Amino acid sequence: MLLLTASAGGSDAARFFLVLAGMLVAAKLAGELCERAGQPAVMGELIAGVLLGAGGLGLIPTASGDPLTPVVRLFAEVGVVVLLFEIGLETDLKAMARVGPAATAVAVVGVALPFALGAAYWASGLHGVEPSKAGRLITAVFVGATLTATSVGITARVLSDLRILHSLEARLILGAAVIDDVIGLVILGVVSGLAAGAAPSVAGAARVLAVAVGFLAAAVWLGLRVTPGLFALVDRMRVRGVLVVAAFAFLLVLCALAERAGSALIIGAFAAGLVLSETNQFDAIEERIKPVADIFTPIFFLSVGAAVDLRVFDPRLPANRATLVIGGVLLLIALVGKLASGWAVPWRRFNRLAVGVGMAPRGEVGLVFAQIGLAAGVLSGRLYSAILFVVVATTLVTPPLLRGAFGRGATVEDELP
Amino acid sequence: MLLLTASAGGSDAARFFLVLAGMLVAAKLAGELCERAGQPAVMGELIAGVLLGAGGLGLIPTASGDPLTPVVRLFAEVGVVVLLFEIGLETDLKAMARVGPAATAVAVVGVALPFALGAAYWASGLHGVEPSKAGRLITAVFVGATLTATSVGITARVLSDLRILHSLEARLILGAAVIDDVIGLVILGVVSGLAAGAAPSVAGAARVLAVAVGFLAAAVWLGLRVTPGLFALVDRMRVRGVLVVAAFAFLLVLCALAERAGSALIIGAFAAGLVLSETNQFDAIEERIKPVADIFTPIFFLSVGAAVDLRVFDPRLPANRATLVIGGVLLLIALVGKLASGWAVPWRRFNRLAVGVGMAPRGEVGLVFAQIGLAAGVLSGRLYSAILFVVVATTLVTPPLLRGAFGRGATVEDELP
């Protein structure tokens, strides 16, 4: 009311409400269809996003001039951090620490292998593309870098959909994905420097690594000490909804701090969940954050789908065919490189394939690399489109592949309290 | 991730997260302080909004150039419709229908009296202001019109804070506020025509009235028939969160439809709540929409507060003093006119004062009138500021006054199932 629903603002709100309602209804219907077809619900949400997005019905605002685009984008951001917060809440910190060294091995192999294969493919010249003015080697480093970073959102949601978040494999994947994000930040620092013409600096890379690892460690360490007192105070407050608001605000602050510290929003979200999973109010927080996640999280997955315009990959256009061939090779490298990471752990019995598949989806970090390379003239438009193809393909194939891989079973560790 | 947390977008998100967290924490702390001081929590949220708003610390984005302003505004819009939805859910449709004629009497007196007194005050010339070029009579009609419409959000929240939503008085206030909104739309149509120089038309006013009443009746009638089947279907779906998403999407669609039908968003929200309160899933919906309301609703009340810049009313500036005198007289008229509405009902025993106070807060409709009058040159800048003063003052004094008025007790009707 007061100043808020004045004439113009009002119809903006009405359109926003219809967009939100359309996205949510489509998400649940498509999710239901996928689940009945034996697939994870998130796959339906991604496909619904593609159908409602810029390349489809255009319901989801993606144009930069549309006043609703930033609103939906920020709703989606809240969606992905609430998702990672929930995943963190359900993650047992001690069990996670136990798989720490193994997860590090998975992350390192899953970064090193796609990087080496991608860079080698480009340096070899097998693709038949003329070197850019920046030189073949720099371009090769960029191509390799874009293939390294796992996007944990998709996998986390599939693990949640399949109700196997407590399996050994899920812990390995989530732990490796977080470490992978930290490595990704280091690589981002190095390639940004390369794009700007700087020589790669070990000191600079070490600083980025120290900040990212330091933030995560400090957040969890400090959080574990501060939150019990904080939430004991919250328990003594009388106003309505104070617990869910406190947990939500804690999540938001940790995300923002993570980003300000040079890390990623979702690292802060995961850390916030890990920390609050150790408080006495854990059950109540989990129960009350669930409806909030139910509203926000589908907006994220639909937005991911909406950003995809399948027409760029239409093979009827000759220009697209060359892009698809290069994209296909890079996709193969991207998949093989991450699949192999499941074999990085020397343990005898667990589902290596599922771990490898779980690490497969690529996302924002790869695209950030690619955008920097495109802007600096290191990557051509065609190469950028090929990398976009890899991101889209790994995102869309992971849910059914991961479901299939877990068909061979998940390893149940002893459940800790 | 994917396309969403690219560098620039990322830090936008971090700032948005900090703003949201700051607003939520301030809301709960201020709400807690007010509740401990025996006042409704919403009063704390309003004051926190004033302190964090444009006239205070400036944490809440209100500038039109700030990219976060529309985002926070739409969050606030979701907040107020979720609030009215919750109020609708807790309202017993049959009990509401029983108080229908009485609520209509309250609404009619509460509109007619402030209008007549306000118009008479202005037409009399007692205020000492020279007539505008539009003529004193037209200005007088505008002044009267701005004082008519009750803003139900504040009162609804106070009734909820005081846990007396099921009292006879609460039903009277809510029913009268909805009817009052419908009358407000009719007056809006007439004064917009006057501002544009048209002669007032009975046919036009009747059409607006028919659309608004027709929408509400059709939404509730159709809703009661369609939703049981719809939500039986929802019950058979397997995906996570489908119930809360279905209820939320139903709310959003009804709000948007209400606005498209020429009514107000919040009328649709209240209708959605009324309709779903009759479904079998009522309890589950109420429980799961609660955390969603806990996150969104405070953003609305803080935004209401943030729009207030108290410096406009600083009496040390001579120009402000004349405004304050006119504002004071209009405030008196606004309060007396609505207070009297409690005596419009011939029943012997109920808390008339509480009903009158509950109808007192003014809000968006009055400001929309005032903005139209200002743009058309019918109202001077000083008169506009005086009306703003009335809106702010009625908003801020209602929570403690209403709490005081209910100190004499609320009337408990037989609770219906």
Side-chain angles (χ1 to χ4, degrees), chain A residues 3 67 114-116 151 227 235 240 248-249 258 308 340 362 369 385 414:
Chain A
L3 281 184
F115 180 85
S151 167
T227 47
D235 255 0
R240 189 195 131 156
F248 189 66
V308 175
R362 306 305 204 280
F369 291 172
S385 295
D414 299 324

XYZ file of all heavy atoms in Angstrom, chain A residues 3 67 114-116 151 227 235 240 248-249 258 308 340 362 369 385 414:
139
model
N 2.557 4.185 -0.836
C 3.587 4.504 -1.827
C 3.977 3.320 -2.697
O 4.793 3.467 -3.590
C 4.863 5.016 -1.149
C 4.841 6.474 -0.700
C 6.194 6.855 -0.139
C 4.512 7.389 -1.886
N 12.366 -4.498 -17.004
C 12.565 -4.202 -15.582
C 12.463 -5.431 -14.686
O 12.949 -5.417 -13.557
C 11.448 -3.191 -15.263
C 10.450 -3.335 -16.353
C 11.218 -3.766 -17.574
N 40.481 -32.374 -17.257
C 39.821 -31.603 -18.324
C 40.695 -30.445 -18.797
O 40.727 -30.140 -19.978
C 38.539 -31.083 -17.665
C 38.309 -31.959 -16.497
C 39.659 -32.404 -16.042
N 41.430 -29.834 -17.857
C 42.298 -28.710 -18.233
C 43.370 -29.184 -19.211
O 43.544 -28.611 -20.293
C 42.943 -28.101 -16.988
C 43.843 -26.942 -17.296
C 43.314 -25.671 -17.424
C 45.210 -27.121 -17.499
C 44.133 -24.592 -17.734
C 46.024 -26.042 -17.817
C 45.490 -24.778 -17.935
N 44.055 -30.277 -18.857
C 45.150 -30.778 -19.688
C 44.625 -31.227 -21.047
O 45.186 -30.860 -22.096
C 45.848 -31.931 -18.966
N 29.698 -27.208 -11.550
C 28.607 -26.398 -11.025
C 27.801 -27.288 -10.093
O 27.110 -28.205 -10.531
C 27.748 -25.920 -12.188
O 26.558 -25.393 -11.706
N 27.366 -19.208 16.735
C 25.944 -19.481 16.525
C 25.224 -20.099 17.719
O 24.054 -19.768 17.926
C 25.721 -20.357 15.278
O 26.624 -21.440 15.314
C 25.896 -19.540 14.019
N 16.085 -18.044 20.537
C 15.074 -18.883 21.184
C 14.311 -18.127 22.262
O 13.177 -18.463 22.572
C 15.758 -20.094 21.825
C 15.524 -21.355 21.020
O 14.831 -21.257 19.987
O 16.019 -22.422 21.413
N 7.076 -13.304 16.235
C 6.769 -14.378 15.310
C 7.869 -14.546 14.262
O 8.452 -13.573 13.807
C 5.470 -13.985 14.607
C 4.886 -15.068 13.769
C 3.848 -14.495 12.834
N 4.160 -15.008 11.520
C 3.297 -15.130 10.535
N 2.065 -14.739 10.692
N 3.669 -15.636 9.395
N 17.748 -17.333 7.907
C 17.789 -16.787 6.547
C 18.762 -15.607 6.484
O 19.573 -15.502 5.556
C 16.374 -16.369 6.152
C 16.204 -15.978 4.707
C 16.362 -16.903 3.695
C 15.863 -14.681 4.364
C 16.193 -16.552 2.360
C 15.685 -14.312 3.038
C 15.852 -15.249 2.038
N 18.712 -14.735 7.487
C 19.607 -13.574 7.503
C 21.059 -14.030 7.668
O 21.965 -13.496 7.021
C 19.213 -12.612 8.629
N 31.235 -14.050 1.844
C 32.036 -14.941 1.001
C 32.408 -14.230 -0.286
O 33.555 -14.263 -0.729
C 31.267 -16.226 0.710
N 19.132 -20.535 -21.965
C 19.550 -21.348 -23.108
C 18.658 -21.042 -24.309
O 17.438 -21.132 -24.223
C 19.441 -22.846 -22.768
C 19.760 -23.694 -23.989
C 20.348 -23.187 -21.607
N 36.702 -39.545 -14.866
C 37.922 -40.171 -14.344
C 38.176 -39.792 -12.897
O 38.821 -40.545 -12.154
C 39.106 -39.760 -15.208
N 28.864 -28.333 -15.717
C 29.632 -27.092 -15.679
C 28.655 -25.941 -15.584
O 27.483 -26.064 -15.951
C 30.473 -26.922 -16.934
C 31.366 -28.067 -17.227
C 32.286 -28.383 -16.028
N 33.487 -29.062 -16.486
C 33.549 -30.356 -16.777
N 32.484 -31.118 -16.631
N 34.669 -30.886 -17.196
N 34.894 -17.460 -17.206
C 36.162 -17.593 -17.930
C 35.951 -17.251 -19.402
O 36.684 -16.476 -20.006
C 36.678 -19.031 -17.857
C 37.129 -19.456 -16.506
C 37.456 -20.772 -16.254
C 37.244 -18.548 -15.466
C 37.881 -21.184 -15.007
C 37.669 -18.951 -14.220
C 37.991 -20.274 -13.991
N 30.625 -20.036 -28.360
C 29.383 -20.795 -28.521
C 29.608 -22.275 -28.237
O 28.749 -22.945 -27.655
C 28.836 -20.626 -29.941
O 28.473 -19.295 -30.169
N 27.995 -45.327 8.113
C 27.259 -45.278 9.385
C 26.738 -43.859 9.564
O 27.476 -42.904 9.380
C 28.187 -45.627 10.544
C 28.746 -47.020 10.382
O 28.013 -47.893 9.889
O 29.910 -47.213 10.719
